[in-house]
Each structure stands twice: as C-alpha cells, then as structure tokens.
Amino acid sequence: MSPLARLPWAPPPPATPAPSEPEALAPDAIASPSSAVIELFDVTKTYFVQPPVEALRGVSMAVHQGELVGVVGPSGSGKTTLLHLMGTLDRPTSGTVWVTGYDIAKLSDRELSALRAGRVGFVFQQFFLAEHQTVLDNVADGLLYAGATLAERRQAAEEALSRVGLADRLGVRPTQISGGQRQRVAIARALVGRPAIVLADEPTGNLDQATGQSILDLFVELNSEGTTIIVITHDVAIASRMRRVVRFLDGLILDDSASGGAGPRLAGAEIGPTVDGAEEAAGRSGGALSPGDGPDGPDGPEARA
Amino acid sequence: MNGPVNGSGALSPARLRPRDLARLASIGIRTRKLRAGLSALGIAIGVAAIVAVLGLSASSEAGLLAEISKLGTNLLTVTNGQTLFGQTAELPKAAPGMIGRIGPVTDVQYTGAVNNANAYKSPLINSINTNAISVDASSLGLPADVGTTVAQGTYLNAATQNEPVCALGAAAAQRLGIDRVFPGERIWVGGMWFYVTGILKPALLTPEIDSSVLIGFPAAEKYLAFDGHPSEVYVRTENSQVNAVYNVLASTANPESPNEVDVSQPSQALVAQAEAKAALNSLFLGLGAVSLLVGAVGVANIMVISVLERRSEIGLRRALGATKGHVRVQFMAEAVLLSVIGGAIGVAAGAISTAVYASAKGWQVDVPPLAWGGGFGAAILIGVIAGLMPALRAARMSPTEALWSI
Ligand SMILES: Nc1ncnc2c1ncn2[C@@H]1O[C@H](COP(=O)(O)OP(=O)(O)OP(=O)(O)O)[C@@H](O)[C@H]1O
Ligand SMILES: [Mg+2]
C-alpha cells in the first residue's frame, strides 16, 4: 500500500487495544493468529566478533497495539539489540520476528526499509537531529522515504510538532533549543508518519531527571492517544511509569509484568535460575536484580549503571 | 493506528523525488562549505585548463584561418623543382605566358632567383654577412598577386624595372636596417648600388618574398647577368577552379618535363601549420587531464571522509526507511554535485580567460562545444567515478553498525 494513501494525517484514532482482523494477507506473510504488532519467538542474536557475543539468548514476547512497554535491564543486557530487531534494523540469528504482521526473515532489505518508512518510528538517545535544517524540516524528514511531497511532509511535521508541544518553534534550528525540546523534535519525527510502533532507545539518557520525566509524560500521553510505544531504559524509576515492564538480563527476559496475558513463553520463572548463574558469571550488574523484583519495586542501585 | 497491524500487500520503497535528491546531495556541501569548495577547486582548475587550452587553440586557429581566407585560398605557386640528377631544374622562360593562357587563371606573376648576387647595406659589409637575403627578379604586379602591398614608397614599375632600382621584402628591409624610404637611399647589390623605391608589408602566404630584394627582370639581366628564367610563378585562379588549375599547372609550365616542377597551394600549407599548432596543445591538454585526475582523487577522498563522518546520519536515514539505494544515490549525487560545481566554475574560468586573451589578440572568440561540453562531461564523469566507491561503502553499512558508532 502506498504511504500516500494515508495522507493527510488524520487525528489518531482512540486508544483501543484493537483486536485487528488479519484481512487480505499475502500467503507467505501470514502472521500468527494473534493480534500482536510485534511478536518474537525464541529469538537469539549472536554478534560474531572475537569472542562471539550472545546478545539475545532466546527471547519470546509480544507487543500489542496500543501498549506502552518499558524494557529495562543493565548495560549490555541486550536491550538495544532487541530494539533493533523489533525495528527491523537487524535480523535475528535464530527464531522469528513478526513486525506488523510480516515475518521479517521473509522480507528483503528493500522491503524492510519500506516497512520502517511506513510503520516504525525511532527515537534515539542522541536525538540525531540535523543542525543545518530547521526543526520543522527535521521532523518532515521522518516522511522523506515514505513518498510524500515536501509540502505534505511539512504539513504533517507541523501537526506532529504541535502534538509534542513545539508548535511555536517550527523555524528554529536544533542548536537553538534545549535538550528536552530536541528530544521532543525527535519524537515528533518518529510520530510524523503515524507509525504502528514507536521504538525509543534510552530517550531520556541525555536529559536531566525533570526533563526526562516530561518526555516520559509525553510518551504516556501519546500512548493514551493510541500510539504503540516501546521505551528502552536503564532507569527503573522511569520504567515504573510504564503500564508494562519487561526486564532483561544477559540476553534473557527476567520477567514481564504482562506475562499473564502474553503467553507461557514469557514466564520469568522459567528462566530465573539460569539468569542468576549468568549474572554472577558476567559479574557486571552493580546491584542484585533479583528475579522476584516486580516493576513496581524499582531497583535503586540498578537505576543508573 | 491507521497502519494495518498485520502485513498486507507488497512493501515497496518510495522513490526519491528529484528535488529531495537535490536537497540531500547538497547537505555535505552546505554543512562543510570550505572543504567542499576546496575539493571543487581541484576539479575547477583541471576543467579550466582544458577549456582554456581548447578555446585558445580554437580561437587562434580561427584567427589564422580568417586571415588566410582574407588573403585568398586561390593562390597557387609553381616552383622549379629538381632534375632527375638532383640539380635545380629551370622553368622555361615561356612558363608564365603559357600559364596565363589557362582559362580560369586570373593573374600570373613570377620571380626569378638571381643566384650570383647578394645584397648588403653598403660595400663595406663583409660579403659573408648576407643576412639570408636573396636577390630576385620580379614581375611588376607581384605584391597584389601574393596578397600584400607596399608599406613605404612604391613598387617597381615599367620605368624602374630597367634601372638599378629595388623594392625590399619586409624581412629584408628589417635585416638591412631600413625602415623608411627616402630619396637617394641605396643598397649594395651584386657589386653596384641599387636605389630603394619601396618596402613591402609581410606576405603571409608567400614568406619567401619577405626576405627578398626585388628588382626588375630587365635590370637583373642587364646589371647582374641574370639568365631570365623564372624560378617561382604565382598564379591566381577563379575560386571554383583551383583544383582544376592545380592539376594542369605542372604540364603547362614545363610541358617537356612536368615532373621537374613543384606545384603548391600556400594557403593549404598555412592551414596545415595552424592545425599542427593545435596538435601541439595535446601536451597542455594532458596537463589539464592530470590536474582533473588529481581533482577527482580529491573528491573521492572528501567523499570517503564524509561517509565515515556521517555514519550516524546514515544509520538514522536507514531507520527512517531509507533503502541501500537511497543512501547510495544520496552520496553519489553529492559527489556528482561537487564536481559539477567545480566543472561549472572551471568552464566559466576557462571561457573567460579564452575570451580575454583572444580579444586582446584580436581573434574571434571561439570556445568550441567540445571544450565546454567535454569539460563539463568530464566533471560529471569524475563525480560518478569518485563517488562510486564511497557511495557503495555508505550503502553497504549496516544500519545497526551505523547507529552503534557514537
Ligand atoms: N554490533 C555489535 N557488535 C558486537 N557486539 C555487539 C554489537 N552490538 C552490541 N553488542 C554487544 O551485545 C551485547 C548487548 O548489547 P546491547 O547494545 O543490546 O545492550 P544494551 O542492553 O542496549 O546496553 P546499554 O544499556 O549499555 O545500551 C553487549 O555485550 C554488546 O557489547
Ligand atoms: Mg543500548
């Protein structure tokens, strides 16, 4: 389908955990019968460097439409790797990744690019804004590869910027605004194409506590308007604001606050004991992140590794 | 959201619009102006050199050809050649008259070399110092026939051709140190005084006349023991009949031994000379090509650095949905834009310097399409070649690798 078909960007539909109907599926791209926007089955990812790094060691989870998911875990636990797989920037070493109903193993690099252009929005810790162009054009670039004209892109960018509260800063350069505002610009750029999923990797990592909180408020607000958002963070305090928290350790899911609903594979208890061993062997987490900790009990020493 | 949750239909990447591609291509140039300017300069210098060399040689050739055609391409010369035994042959005395009877011939003039005489400023000059000045007997209408006129005084006439009187070719006058004709001025020719009656302007088509001291046939026979045989006949023909006349000249001039006669078309020799001069420019063209090559290496170098520096931009673009092709074409377009800017500056600089030099020389300004088109084309080609490797590297970079590196 043409991305243009979705222009002009209508106001987002209300947040309904839409039980989506799998209509008109290409035969080889038919998803599992679930309604998940993202689904991972026993995914592993090994970086073949010397020595090889097993960044993910068998992860299964599903994210449904309208969810706001926090992914937490210490440094090196595989969060960014997970996000890259969910965003189709990379392919798993084994296992299956379904994104918006596509098995990404069956898609070519070009098709994955098209999928990202239309359905996935990214927010990065470093913002990645172009200093030579205005805030408006930075956001408009979020649609550059979706086939929209410059005028259409700018109009959509204006709407996205007003959604993140920057309607009055369209013409300024990223260098002229604060870090929090920059991250809002980056979020607007992720939203501008009305993607099915927004993936944020440490979006508050470069911001102070208060600014980080306001960015988080923005995510909560956008989510309440219907956007599916996955936020990766070190910060357990931030994670506690998420409806659902998935905790990672050494490439495995330690626990998932939605494990009841998301299927038996995600049960933290299953992997608990192994994780303990792995954690001790790796010896890199500052404080103990015990399997028993729930999302509502933030782990102080773990918050800023 | 409005996007379908489940996959449906084909996923096909959008094409970049030309305007968007132009914006993308100019990012590197807009954000790193000095660096871009310097690498474009390398291309500009090479292209300017090529355009100027081609333009100048075309202009000078055009100037020369214009002058030649002004002098006329319908002048043919008949010269005494060599006998079978390698001696200088003689043209029959009747040759000019017989040539004059060829239909399309409009004018016949001739000279005869007076071999045993030399010309000096005065009798006191050592006879070795001939200054390479020849003494020739001349028919009376020679200057007009070969396309020159007198600069000073008058030419030989029916009266003075019988007397010890001479006219000087332009170079001969200069070598004798005579730049003005005044009454009673004389030079020492073949052991006696000859009065100078006039000085000729340079004869571009027949430079041998420039270094001659010209006297009348009767005087030459009377005073210098000249045998009266013409050695060079200058023939003007109707423009359309040049080739026809050319073909019969030898047998007409010397029916008994036409192979002892050399026939030539002086304007053709000059044209060939002009072309040979243009060929000499290949040396300078080679230098221009070398500087273009250096410019290309500069652009490639800048592009490689640019790709390395802009890893995170590449990663971001891939995350925004750019395909490998989108990334490749962006960097390719940037390299081409860079060298096209250099090429445009080079073409302008080359054309301007050609125009300035050519108009200073009084030539018609001629920057041939080959010059500017070739310069511009070379710039585009260089952009493609220089951009290819960096663009491929940029496209090959995996998105995660590109995003990872900060
Ligand atoms: N491109 C790569 N090549 C080699 N190893 C990699 C690569 N990317 C990640 N890794 C390794 O994989 C492991 C997981 O990395 P990942 O970036 O996913 O962790 P993370 O949870 O995001 O950590 P952080 O909180 O520090 O960002 C780490 O040990 C890391 O060094
Ligand atoms: Mg990370």
Side-chain angles (χ1 to χ4, degrees), chain A residues 123-127 177-187 202-216 218-219 235 238 304:
Chain A
V123 177
F124 299 100
Q125 181 175 354
Q126 306 88 345
F127 319 141
I177 54 178
S178 70
Q181 287 174 321
R182 283 181 210 176
Q183 193 57 297
R184 282 170 188 269
V185 173
I187 292 169
E202 313 265 9
T204 59
N206 279 358
L207 304 175
D208 63 53
Q209 198 75 35
T211 317
Q213 279 302 325
S214 77
I215 291 295
L216 213 59
L218 177 62
F219 278 127
D235 193 336
I238 283 177
R304 292 266 171 196

Side-chain angles (χ1 to χ4, degrees), chain A residues 3 6 87-91 99-100 102 104 106-122 142-147, chain B residues 10-15 314-328 395 397-399:
Chain A
R6 290 189 279 124
T88 78
L89 288 169
D90 210 349
R91 297 174 192 269
V99 177
T100 65
Y102 290 96
I104 70 169
K106 294 209 172 77
L107 298 181
S108 69
D109 195 73
R110 278 169 58 79
E111 288 168 325
L112 291 181
S113 300
L115 189 150
R116 290 194 293 274
R119 299 160 189 239
V120 185
F122 288 92
L143 276 169
L144 181 61
Y145 301 100
Chain B
L11 289 166
S12 66
R15 283 177 65 91
I314 294 167
L316 171 73
R317 292 189 182 282
R318 295 303 311 271
L320 293 178
T323 62
K324 287 179 180 178
H326 287 143
V327 172
R328 195 184 315 128
M397 216 178 268
S398 87

Side-chain angles (χ1 to χ4, degrees), chain A residues 1 20 24-25 31 35-36 65 84 89-90 100-102 107 109-111 113-117 119 122 124 126 128 132 141 144-145 147-150 153-154 189 195 226-227, chain B residues 1-17 19-20 23-24 27 30-31 312 315-324 326 330 399-400 403-404 406:
Chain A
M1 58 140 244
S20 81
L25 293 185
S35 63
Q65 194 166 18
H84 285 166
L89 288 169
D90 210 349
T100 65
Y102 290 96
L107 298 181
D109 195 73
R110 278 169 58 79
E111 288 168 325
S113 300
L115 189 150
R116 290 194 293 274
R119 299 160 189 239
F122 288 92
F124 299 100
Q126 306 88 345
F128 291 138
H132 68 274
D141 268 359
L144 181 61
Y145 301 100
T149 65
L150 183 60
R153 299 202 300 267
R154 285 192 171 145
R189 181 179 60 199
T227 312
Chain B
M1 311 272 338
N2 349 19
V5 167
N6 286 304
S8 63
L11 289 166
S12 66
R15 283 177 65 91
L16 277 178
R17 285 151 211 278
R19 194 175 153 199
D20 290 329
R23 279 162 50 95
L24 289 177
I27 290 176
R30 281 182 289 151
T31 55
S312 53
L316 171 73
R317 292 189 182 282
R318 295 303 311 271
L320 293 178
T323 62
K324 287 179 180 178
H326 287 143
Q330 173 181 343
T400 49
L403 286 168
W404 204 49
I406 322 126

Side-chain angles (χ1 to χ4, degrees), chain B residues 383-397:
Chain B
V384 170
I385 293 171
L388 190 64
M389 199 261 288
L392 290 177
R393 282 179 75 162
R396 228 183 11 236
M397 216 178 268

Side-chain angles (χ1 to χ4, degrees), chain B residues 20 43 63 118 123 156 179 189 245 253 295 356:
Chain B
D20 290 329
I43 302 286
N118 288 311
L156 304 167
D179 57 356
V189 179
V245 173
V356 168

Side-chain angles (χ1 to χ4, degrees), chain B residues 272-293:
Chain B
Q273 211 177 314
E275 277 158 11
K277 217 161 127 191
L280 210 142
N281 287 320
S282 55
L283 180 70
F284 292 97
L285 276 185
L287 287 176
V290 167
S291 55
L292 257 189
L293 195 73

